[in-house]
């Protein structure tokens, strides 16, 4: 199959197609991870996005049964320099080409992914069309101009009904904006009794199981679109310990009176350095976000900044000065990425058992 990538500024990249023959419109982003393509493509936070992988070889260890972060591929497309059609891994059950085909997701390869990345870094994340159906450049241009990108996917990608994952430890209400499997795994490792709630759950419903804590998950889209969730979380700030990750972090910032903004091209990869003010240590983190919390906006809200990105000084974490409430922008559950920050789940357990965020 011939492949085409059309950017909203008129730039065209030609390559070869793999996966399912399809034309999709989405937001073009890049990810710098050297491994973890399966986890990345199945991360619900990538809903609506077309991922340009900067690592030059994708698919070399195939697809396994244990590395999905959800039950489906949420990205709208994948772009790579080279694709491995004959993976080498005793656990592999499929190659990436067949995997994308079975899940009706288009892919492109033989694309200059470094040029695509430099384009995004210079001009920012942008709308694009990915196609491996031999459409014309004129048709791609028309489709790009006529299509609108949704910004409220966090309302629809998560569970549609409450799900109970039994455990013998602290009881946790999880508000699902597009949760990754490994977040739930980290809670299960600590024997938490987990209740996963859909996006439209009310504060009363979240409290109905008498939880020891509230967890706010990752998810896709613009946090400003999550007005219903912001309003419900605001009602819970003084009632229960709260831990938020990524989208949950951004929504929590709005709930306390802060604001968020869209970054030029975001942070996506498994090698982002972050400074933890509370421990005085730097950690390497897994990240996937296109929005960030405005630092000045939370200064008079009772929150204080706890984590700073070492590359661009953006806010990577915060905690309340008197309430058991904290959040981080990065992904302590990794998958893919390092486990440097998994201690944050232990910190949440401490809060649910009556501990404090302050020494």
């Amino acid at each position: 199959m011939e492949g085409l990538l059309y950017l909203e500024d008129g730039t065209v990249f030609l390559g070869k197609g793999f996966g399912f023959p399809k034309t999709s419109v989405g937001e073009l982003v890049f990810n710098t991870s050297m491994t973890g393509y399966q986890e990345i493509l199945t991360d619900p936070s990538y809903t609506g996005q077309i991922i340009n992988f900067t690592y030059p070889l994708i698919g070399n260890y195939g697809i396994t049964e244990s590395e999905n972060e959800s039950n489906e591929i949420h990205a709208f497309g994948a772009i790579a320099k080279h694709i491995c059609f004959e993976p080498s891994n005793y656990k592999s059950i499929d190659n990436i080409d067949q995997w994308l085909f079975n899940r009706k997701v288009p892919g492109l390869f033989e694309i200059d992914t470094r040029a695509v990345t430099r384009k995004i870094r210079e001009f920012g994340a942008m709308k694009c069309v990915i196609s491996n159906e031999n459409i014309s450049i004129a048709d791609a241009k028309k489709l790009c101009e006529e299509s609108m990108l949704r910004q409220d996917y966090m309302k629809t990608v998560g569970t549609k009904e409450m799900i109970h994952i039994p455990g013998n430890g602290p009881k946790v209400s999880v508000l699902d904006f597009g949760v990754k499997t490994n977040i739930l795994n980290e809670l299960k490792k600590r024997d938490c009794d987990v209740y996963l709630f859909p996006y439209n759950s009310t504060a009363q419903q979240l409290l109905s199981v008498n939880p020891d804590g509230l967890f706010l998950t990752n998810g896709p889209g613009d946090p400003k679109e999550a007005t219903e969730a912001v309003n419900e979380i605001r009602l819970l700030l003084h009632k229960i310990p709260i831990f938020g990750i990524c989208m949950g972090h951004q929504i929590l910032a709005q709930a306390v009176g802060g604001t968020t903004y869209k970054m030029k091209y975001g942070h996506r990869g498994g090698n982002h350095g972050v400074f933890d003010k509370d421990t005085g240590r730097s950690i390497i983190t897994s990240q996937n976000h296109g929005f960030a919390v405005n630092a000045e906006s939370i200064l008079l809200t009772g929150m204080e900044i706890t984590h700073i990105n070492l590359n661009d000084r953006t806010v990577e974490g915060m905690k309340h000065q008197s309430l058991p409430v904290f959040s981080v922008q990065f992904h302590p559950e990794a998958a893919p990425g390092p486990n440097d920050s998994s201690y944050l789940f232990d910190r949440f357990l401490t809060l649910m058992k009556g501990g404090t965020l302050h020494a």
Side-chain angles (χ1 to χ4, degrees):
M1 295 181 286
E2 296 300 317
L4 176 150
L5 176 66
Y6 180 90
L7 278 56
E8 64 178 315
D9 67 354
T11 303
V12 176
F13 293 89
L14 300 177
K16 298 179 181 179
F18 72 103
F20 191 78
K22 187 177 181 179
T23 299
S24 294
V25 182
E27 181 184 32
L28 179 63
V29 301
F30 66 88
N31 187 293
T32 60
S33 294
M34 296 176 66
T35 61
Y37 50 81
Q38 184 175 343
E39 295 96 325
I40 291 165
L41 288 166
T42 55
D43 180 348
S45 295
Y46 280 105
T47 304
Q49 296 180 336
I50 293 166
I51 305 170
N52 178 65
F53 288 96
T54 64
Y55 192 71
L57 178 61
I58 299 298
N60 54 308
Y61 54 86
I63 302 299
T64 70
E65 293 182 331
S66 61
E67 293 176 345
N68 286 335
E69 286 301 310
S70 68
N71 293 327
E72 59 184 289
I73 297 176
H74 288 273
F76 279 16
I79 303 166
K81 176 61 178 175
H82 300 295
I83 288 293
C84 179
F85 294 91
E86 297 180 357
S88 179
N89 179 0
Y90 76 98
K91 291 183 178 181
S92 178
I93 59 172
D94 219 339
N95 67 33
I96 192 170
D97 178 39
Q98 190 63 45
W99 184 56
L100 262 65
F101 181 87
N102 292 342
R103 286 157 178 77
K104 297 181 169 51
V105 177
L108 297 182
F109 70 110
E110 298 300 332
I111 296 288
D112 187 345
T113 53
R114 289 188 299 178
V116 174
T117 300
R118 293 183 66 178
K119 186 78 174 179
I120 298 170
R121 284 182 61 89
E122 182 176 357
F123 297 102
M126 61 184 74
K127 184 167 58 173
C128 74
V129 174
I130 182 175
S131 178
N132 51 18
E133 294 184 299
N134 298 320
I135 69 170
S136 68
I137 294 175
D139 287 341
K141 180 177 185 292
K142 181 179 180 183
L143 181 61
C144 191
E145 291 174 344
E146 293 177 350
S147 301
M148 296 290 291
L149 299 183
R150 279 185 58 186
Q151 299 294 329
D152 62 347
Y153 284 114
M154 82 291 292
K155 299 181 180 181
T156 58
V157 298
T159 183
K160 303 301 184 292
E161 59 185 7
M162 193 270 283
I163 298 174
H164 182 210
I165 306 171
N168 296 314
K171 192 176 295 184
V172 185
S173 288
V174 177
L175 185 52
D176 187 5
F177 304 120
V179 69
K180 289 172 61 180
T181 295
N182 212 43
I183 286 179
L184 299 177
N185 288 343
E186 288 294 330
L187 293 173
K188 288 192 290 184
K189 280 181 189 177
R190 292 158 176 83
D191 204 23
C192 290
D193 190 24
V194 176
Y195 290 81
L196 186 66
F197 284 88
Y199 170 85
N200 59 0
S201 299
T202 65
Q204 184 176 5
Q205 289 171 325
L206 293 168
L207 292 176
S208 64
V209 296
N210 296 314
D212 298 297
L214 171 64
F215 189 94
L216 310 176
T217 79
N218 62 295
D222 185 343
K224 292 179 181 176
E225 294 292 325
T227 53
E228 304 91 347
V230 170
N231 291 334
E232 297 303 320
I233 293 166
R234 187 175 291 132
L235 299 174
L236 298 173
L237 288 171
H238 293 268
K239 295 184 177 181
I240 190 172
I242 300 176
F243 178 25
I245 287 178
C246 204
M247 174 64 72
H249 162 78
Q250 297 161 0
I251 290 176
L252 180 61
Q254 293 181 98
V256 299
T259 60
T260 58
Y261 63 94
K262 186 171 179 60
M263 306 172 75
K264 185 176 181 180
Y265 49 81
H267 300 153
R268 297 176 181 87
N271 54 356
H272 292 262
V274 167
F275 179 72
D276 183 340
K277 180 177 68 70
D278 287 345
T279 65
R281 298 180 60 188
S282 295
I283 53 178
I284 303 300
T285 68
S286 175
Q287 303 204 5
N288 169 26
H289 59 98
F291 293 83
V293 172
N294 187 315
E296 294 183 357
S297 73
I298 62 170
L299 291 180
L300 299 177
T301 64
M303 302 294 283
E304 62 179 270
I305 296 171
T306 57
H307 295 75
I308 296 291
N309 188 285
L310 291 172
N311 294 322
D312 60 13
R313 300 296 190 262
T314 51
V315 176
E316 291 282 1
M318 60 185 185
K319 67 180 178 182
H320 201 278
Q321 294 170 338
S322 60
L323 301 174
V325 173
F326 76 112
S327 62
V328 291
Q329 181 63 79
F330 51 90
H331 285 261
E333 81 287 352
N339 297 312
D340 293 23
S341 53
S342 61
Y343 64 88
L344 293 167
F345 288 96
D346 297 323
R347 186 174 294 178
F348 184 42
L349 253 68
T350 296
L351 289 183
M352 291 191 288
K353 294 177 180 179
T356 177
L357 290 170
H358 304 272

